[in-house]
Coordinates of all heavy atoms in Angstrom, one line a residue:
D50 N 52.6 32.6 28.4 CA 53.8 31.9 27.9 C 53.7 30.4 28.2 O 54.4 29.9 29.0 CB 55.0 32.5 28.5 CG 56.3 32.0 27.9 OD1 56.2 31.4 26.8 OD2 57.4 32.1 28.5
L51 N 52.8 29.7 27.4 CA 52.6 28.3 27.6 C 52.5 27.6 26.2 O 52.0 28.2 25.3 CB 51.3 28.0 28.3 CG 51.2 28.0 29.8 CD1 49.8 27.6 30.3 CD2 52.2 27.1 30.5
W55 N 51.2 21.7 27.0 CA 51.5 21.8 28.5 C 50.2 22.0 29.2 O 50.2 21.8 30.5 CB 52.4 22.9 28.8 CG 53.8 22.8 28.2 CD1 54.3 21.8 27.5 CD2 54.8 23.8 28.3 NE1 55.6 22.1 27.1 CE2 56.0 23.3 27.6 CE3 54.9 25.1 28.9 CZ2 57.1 24.0 27.5 CZ3 56.1 25.8 28.8 CH2 57.2 25.2 28.1
F56 N 49.1 22.4 28.6 CA 47.9 22.9 29.3 C 47.4 21.8 30.3 O 47.1 22.2 31.4 CB 46.9 23.3 28.3 CG 45.5 23.6 28.9 CD1 45.4 24.8 29.7 CD2 44.4 22.8 28.8 CE1 44.2 25.2 30.3 CE2 43.2 23.1 29.4 CZ 43.1 24.3 30.1
P57 N 47.2 20.6 29.9 CA 46.6 19.6 30.9 C 47.4 19.5 32.2 O 46.8 19.5 33.3 CB 46.6 18.3 30.1 CG 46.6 18.7 28.7 CD 47.4 19.9 28.6
V58 N 48.8 19.5 32.1 CA 49.6 19.4 33.3 C 49.5 20.7 34.0 O 49.3 20.7 35.3 CB 51.1 19.2 32.9 CG1 52.0 19.2 34.1 CG2 51.2 17.8 32.2
F59 N 49.6 21.9 33.3 CA 49.6 23.2 34.0 C 48.2 23.4 34.7 O 48.2 23.8 35.9 CB 49.8 24.3 33.0 CG 50.0 25.7 33.6 CD1 51.2 26.1 34.1 CD2 48.8 26.5 33.8 CE1 51.3 27.4 34.6 CE2 49.0 27.7 34.4 CZ 50.2 28.2 34.8
Y60 N 47.2 23.1 34.0 CA 45.8 23.3 34.6 C 45.6 22.4 35.8 O 45.0 22.9 36.8 CB 44.8 23.1 33.5 CG 43.4 23.4 33.9 CD1 42.9 24.7 34.0 CD2 42.5 22.4 34.3 CE1 41.7 25.1 34.4 CE2 41.2 22.8 34.7 CZ 40.8 24.1 34.7 OH 39.5 24.4 35.1
T61 N 46.1 21.2 35.7 CA 45.9 20.3 36.8 C 46.6 20.8 38.1 O 46.1 20.8 39.2 CB 46.4 18.9 36.5 OG1 45.7 18.4 35.3 CG2 46.3 17.9 37.6
L62 N 47.9 21.3 37.9 CA 48.6 21.8 39.0 C 48.0 23.1 39.5 O 48.2 23.5 40.7 CB 50.1 22.1 38.6 CG 50.9 20.8 38.3 CD1 52.3 21.2 37.7 CD2 51.1 20.1 39.7
S63 N 47.4 23.9 38.7 CA 46.7 25.1 39.1 C 45.5 24.9 40.0 O 45.1 25.7 40.8 CB 46.3 26.0 37.9 OG 45.2 25.4 37.3
K64 N 45.0 23.7 39.9 CA 43.8 23.3 40.7 C 44.1 22.5 41.9 O 43.4 22.5 42.9 CB 42.7 22.6 39.8 CG 42.2 23.4 38.6 CD 41.6 24.7 39.1 CE 41.0 25.5 38.0 NZ 40.4 26.8 38.4
T65 N 45.2 21.7 41.8 CA 45.6 20.8 42.9 C 47.1 20.9 43.1 O 47.9 20.5 42.2 CB 45.3 19.4 42.6 OG1 43.9 19.3 42.3 CG2 45.5 18.5 43.9
E66 N 47.6 21.5 44.2 CA 49.0 21.6 44.4 C 49.6 20.3 45.0 O 49.0 19.5 45.6 CB 49.3 22.8 45.4 CG 49.0 24.1 44.8 CD 49.5 25.3 45.7 OE1 49.9 25.0 46.8 OE2 49.5 26.4 45.2
G67 N 50.9 20.2 44.7 CA 51.7 19.1 45.3 C 51.3 17.7 44.8 O 50.9 16.9 45.5
L68 N 51.5 17.5 43.5 CA 51.2 16.2 42.9 C 52.5 15.6 42.3 O 53.4 16.3 41.9 CB 50.2 16.4 41.7 CG 48.8 16.9 42.1 CD1 48.0 17.1 40.8 CD2 48.1 15.9 42.9
I73 N 49.7 13.0 38.2 CA 49.3 13.9 37.1 C 49.0 13.1 35.8 O 48.0 13.3 35.1 CB 50.4 14.9 36.8 CG1 50.7 15.8 38.0 CG2 50.1 15.8 35.6 CD1 51.9 16.7 37.8
I87 N 57.2 17.0 29.9 CA 56.6 18.3 30.0 C 57.0 19.0 31.3 O 57.2 20.2 31.3 CB 55.0 18.1 30.0 CG1 54.6 17.7 28.6 CG2 54.3 19.4 30.3 CD1 53.1 17.2 28.5
I88 N 57.1 18.2 32.4 CA 57.5 18.8 33.7 C 58.9 19.4 33.5 O 59.2 20.5 34.0 CB 57.5 17.7 34.7 CG1 56.1 17.2 35.1 CG2 58.2 18.2 36.0 CD1 55.2 18.2 35.8
M91 N 58.6 22.7 31.6 CA 58.0 23.7 32.4 C 58.9 24.2 33.5 O 58.9 25.4 33.9 CB 56.6 23.2 33.0 CG 55.6 23.0 31.9 SD 54.1 22.2 32.6 CE 53.6 23.3 33.8
K92 N 59.6 23.3 34.1 CA 60.6 23.7 35.1 C 61.7 24.6 34.6 O 62.1 25.6 35.2 CB 61.2 22.4 35.7 CG 62.0 22.6 37.0 CD 62.5 21.3 37.6 CE 63.4 21.6 38.8 NZ 63.9 20.3 39.4
K94 N 61.3 26.7 32.2 CA 60.7 28.0 32.0 C 60.4 28.7 33.4 O 60.0 29.8 33.4 CB 59.3 27.8 31.3 CG 59.5 27.6 29.8 CD 59.5 29.0 29.1 CE 59.4 28.8 27.6 NZ 59.4 30.2 27.0
G95 N 60.6 28.0 34.5 CA 60.4 28.6 35.8 C 59.0 28.6 36.2 O 58.6 29.3 37.1
L96 N 58.1 27.7 35.6 CA 56.7 27.7 35.9 C 56.4 26.8 37.0 O 55.3 27.0 37.6 CB 55.9 27.3 34.6 CG 56.0 28.2 33.4 CD1 55.4 27.5 32.2 CD2 55.4 29.5 33.7
I97 N 57.2 25.8 37.3 CA 56.9 24.9 38.4 C 58.2 24.7 39.3 O 59.3 25.1 38.9 CB 56.5 23.5 37.9 CG1 57.5 22.9 37.0 CG2 55.1 23.6 37.2 CD1 57.2 21.5 36.7
T98 N 58.0 24.2 40.4 CA 59.1 23.9 41.3 C 58.8 22.5 42.0 O 57.7 22.1 42.2 CB 59.3 25.0 42.4 OG1 60.4 24.7 43.2 CG2 58.0 25.1 43.3
E99 N 59.9 21.9 42.4 CA 59.8 20.6 43.1 C 59.9 20.9 44.6 O 60.8 21.6 45.0 CB 60.9 19.6 42.7 CG 60.6 19.0 41.3 CD 61.6 17.9 41.0 OE1 61.4 16.7 41.5 OE2 62.6 18.1 40.4
V100 N 59.0 20.3 45.4 CA 59.0 20.5 46.8 C 58.9 19.2 47.5 O 58.5 18.2 46.9 CB 57.9 21.4 47.3 CG1 58.1 22.8 46.7 CG2 56.5 20.9 46.9
V110 N 57.2 16.3 45.1 CA 56.1 16.6 44.3 C 56.3 17.9 43.6 O 57.2 18.6 43.9 CB 54.8 16.7 45.1 CG1 54.5 15.3 45.8 CG2 54.9 17.7 46.2
V111 N 55.5 18.2 42.6 CA 55.7 19.5 41.8 C 54.4 20.3 42.1 O 53.3 19.9 42.3 CB 55.8 19.2 40.3 CG1 57.1 18.5 40.1 CG2 54.7 18.4 39.8
E112 N 54.7 21.6 42.0 CA 53.6 22.6 42.2 C 54.0 23.9 41.4 O 55.2 24.0 41.0 CB 53.3 22.9 43.6 CG 54.5 23.5 44.4 CD 54.2 23.8 45.8 OE1 53.4 23.0 46.4 OE2 54.8 24.7 46.4
L113 N 53.1 24.7 41.1 CA 53.3 26.0 40.4 C 54.3 26.9 41.2 O 54.1 27.0 42.4 CB 52.1 26.7 40.1 CG 51.1 26.0 39.1 CD1 49.9 27.0 38.8 CD2 51.7 25.6 37.8
S114 N 55.2 27.5 40.5 CA 56.1 28.4 41.2 C 55.4 29.8 41.2 O 54.2 29.9 40.8 CB 57.4 28.6 40.3 OG 57.1 29.1 39.1
A115 N 56.0 30.8 41.8 CA 55.4 32.1 41.9 C 55.1 32.6 40.5 O 54.1 33.2 40.2 CB 56.4 33.1 42.6
K116 N 56.1 32.4 39.5 CA 55.9 32.8 38.1 C 54.7 32.0 37.5 O 53.9 32.6 36.8 CB 57.1 32.5 37.3 CG 57.0 32.9 35.8 CD 58.3 32.6 35.1 CE 58.1 32.9 33.6 NZ 59.4 32.6 32.8
G117 N 54.6 30.7 37.9 CA 53.6 29.9 37.3 C 52.2 30.3 37.8 O 51.2 30.3 37.1
K118 N 52.1 30.8 39.1 CA 50.9 31.3 39.6 C 50.5 32.6 38.9 O 49.3 32.8 38.7 CB 51.0 31.5 41.1 CG 51.1 30.1 41.9 CD 51.3 30.3 43.4 CE 51.4 29.0 44.1 NZ 51.7 29.1 45.5
Q119 N 51.4 33.4 38.6 CA 51.1 34.7 37.8 C 50.5 34.3 36.5 O 49.6 35.0 36.0 CB 52.4 35.5 37.7 CG 52.9 36.1 39.0 CD 54.2 36.8 38.8 OE1 54.8 36.9 37.7 NE2 54.7 37.4 39.9
V120 N 51.1 33.3 35.8 CA 50.6 32.9 34.5 C 49.2 32.3 34.6 O 48.4 32.6 33.8 CB 51.6 31.8 33.9 CG1 51.0 31.2 32.6 CG2 52.9 32.5 33.6
S121 N 49.0 31.6 35.7 CA 47.7 31.0 36.0 C 46.6 32.1 36.1 O 45.5 31.9 35.6 CB 47.7 30.2 37.3 OG 46.5 29.6 37.5
V122 N 46.9 33.2 36.7 CA 46.0 34.3 36.8 C 45.6 34.9 35.5 O 44.5 35.1 35.1 CB 46.5 35.4 37.8 CG1 45.6 36.7 37.7 CG2 46.7 34.9 39.2
R123 N 46.7 35.1 34.6 CA 46.4 35.6 33.3 C 45.6 34.6 32.4 O 44.8 35.0 31.6 CB 47.7 35.9 32.6 CG 48.5 37.1 33.2 CD 49.5 37.7 32.2 NE 50.5 36.7 31.8 CZ 51.6 36.5 32.4 NH1 51.8 37.1 33.6 NH2 52.5 35.6 32.0
L124 N 45.9 33.3 32.7 CA 45.2 32.3 31.9 C 43.7 32.2 32.2 O 43.0 31.8 31.3 CB 45.9 30.9 32.3 CG 45.4 29.7 31.5 CD1 45.7 29.8 30.1 CD2 46.0 28.4 32.1
E125 N 43.3 32.6 33.4 CA 41.9 32.6 33.7 C 41.0 33.3 32.7 O 39.9 32.9 32.3 CB 41.7 33.1 35.2 CG 42.2 32.1 36.3 CD 41.5 30.8 36.2 OE1 40.3 30.7 35.9 OE2 42.2 29.8 36.5

Side-chain angles (χ1 to χ4, degrees):
D50 191 15
L51 277 181
W55 297 357
F56 175 70
V58 174
F59 186 88
Y60 186 77
T61 299
L62 288 172
S63 73
K64 299 301 180 183
T65 308
E66 290 191 349
L68 292 174
I73 299 171
I87 292 172
I88 292 292
M91 288 174 61
K92 189 176 180 181
K94 278 276 190 178
L96 298 172
I97 61 171
T98 183
E99 284 189 82
V100 298
V110 294
V111 292
E112 60 183 28
L113 294 184
S114 64
K116 179 182 177 181
K118 290 176 182 177
Q119 291 175 358
V120 171
S121 179
V122 172
R123 292 200 301 274
L124 183 65
E125 287 300 324

